[in-house]
Amino acid sequence: MPWLQDLGGAWIFYTVLPAWPGLTPRFERIARFAPWIGLCIGALQLLCWWLLDQLGWAAWSSSAIVLALGIWLSGGLHHDGLMDTADGLGAGAARRLEAMDDSRVGAGGVLALVMVLLVELAAMAELLPQHPLALLLAPFWARVSPLWAMARFPYLRDQGTAGFHRRHGQPGWDAVPTLVCLPLLLPLGWAGLAVGVVAALVPAEWLGRRLGGQTGDTYGACVVVAQVLSLLLMALVSRFA
């Protein structure tokens, strides 16, 4: 089944977990299944949070471990894109793509990573003791964000390694795996879904309009920023719930 091969490819591409035996993966249309991979990563983070909570760990220390686990499970792929995107934005319009392509990380990239991790850690420590299921929603909506970026904006590199997402994408059909999950996520609350949609769309729209398009690096940045934004907004909304 081609869709199962795409799902297996997404598992390999977006995580460091072992490949599925007996399945030949395909990679051309893996992005549509990225939200499913987000749910899997979130489920493992949720399990980690529960185990640490049973051991009596404090919210801050548990959040730090859970945050590190999420980065490790994804291989740091998206955080690398965040740092490159921050370097590109700081380099000016004429050198943006060149700066993103540079394997060396600049001060802008380091600062962006530190600030994002601090905000995410604070949001998790505030939110998770009362609403641990947010760990399922945030990684899911974070991986919806690049789907919107791929559908809405041109790819900026002629020979970019992530250009296959745009070339093989079918925006209408690519939304189906996300839509299939929505009835399963509704029991977690309408507020979480509404916050997730906003968090997914804002970074993709802002980066696409700022740069005039997207790259593989900005796809990764969309994931990271959308995840942090969804956790932060859910933490703020939970104060009024």
Side-chain angles (χ1 to χ4, degrees):
M1 291 181 286
W3 71 267
L4 188 58
Q5 291 178 287
D6 292 339
L7 180 57
W11 183 268
I12 293 171
F13 192 85
Y14 293 121
T15 79
V16 297
L17 298 172
W20 300 345
L23 179 67
T24 302
R26 300 194 320 173
F27 295 93
E28 288 84 358
R29 297 186 61 207
I30 59 173
R32 58 181 170 154
F33 290 112
W36 288 18
I37 302 302
L39 282 176
C40 293
I41 290 175
L44 292 173
Q45 289 180 289
L46 181 60
L47 176 61
C48 178
W49 170 269
W50 181 81
L51 290 172
L52 293 174
D53 185 59
Q54 296 304 301
L55 293 172
W57 281 47
W60 280 95
S61 51
S62 297
S63 297
I65 298 296
V66 170
L67 176 56
L69 175 63
I71 296 173
W72 175 75
L73 287 171
S74 66
L77 175 70
H78 310 303
H79 292 78
D80 180 70
L82 171 73
M83 290 189 289
D84 288 340
T85 299
D87 284 338
L89 289 172
R95 295 190 58 251
R96 276 176 185 160
L97 294 182
E98 178 186 349
M100 289 185 193
D101 201 39
D102 194 334
S103 60
R104 296 168 296 181
V105 179
V110 173
L111 288 171
L113 179 64
V114 170
M115 288 189 292
V116 161
L117 292 180
L118 286 174
V119 173
E120 185 170 6
L121 178 60
M124 290 172 69
E126 177 68 23
L127 177 66
L128 297 185
Q130 288 77 38
H131 305 282
L133 291 179
L135 286 171
L136 294 177
L137 289 173
F140 172 81
W141 287 112
R143 286 155 179 82
V144 172
S145 186
L147 288 177
W148 184 260
M150 293 168 195
R152 280 272 293 136
F153 298 98
Y155 192 74
L156 293 176
R157 298 185 187 277
D158 294 331
Q159 304 296 326
T161 56
F164 71 94
H165 292 301
R166 174 80 180 182
R167 290 194 301 272
H168 297 284
Q170 300 177 29
W173 288 108
D174 289 348
V176 171
T178 297
L179 296 175
V180 166
C181 289
L182 294 185
L184 302 176
L185 297 177
L186 278 177
L188 302 183
W190 283 99
L193 293 182
V195 163
V197 170
V198 172
L201 298 186
V202 167
E205 278 291 320
W206 185 83
L207 281 172
R209 296 185 184 195
R210 178 74 182 271
L211 300 175
Q214 302 276 356
T215 71
D217 289 325
T218 62
Y219 293 156
C222 285
V223 172
V224 177
V225 175
Q227 177 150 330
V228 174
L229 186 57
S230 63
L231 287 169
L232 181 60
L233 290 176
M234 280 189 280
L236 292 172
V237 169
S238 69
R239 283 293 182 174
F240 302 97

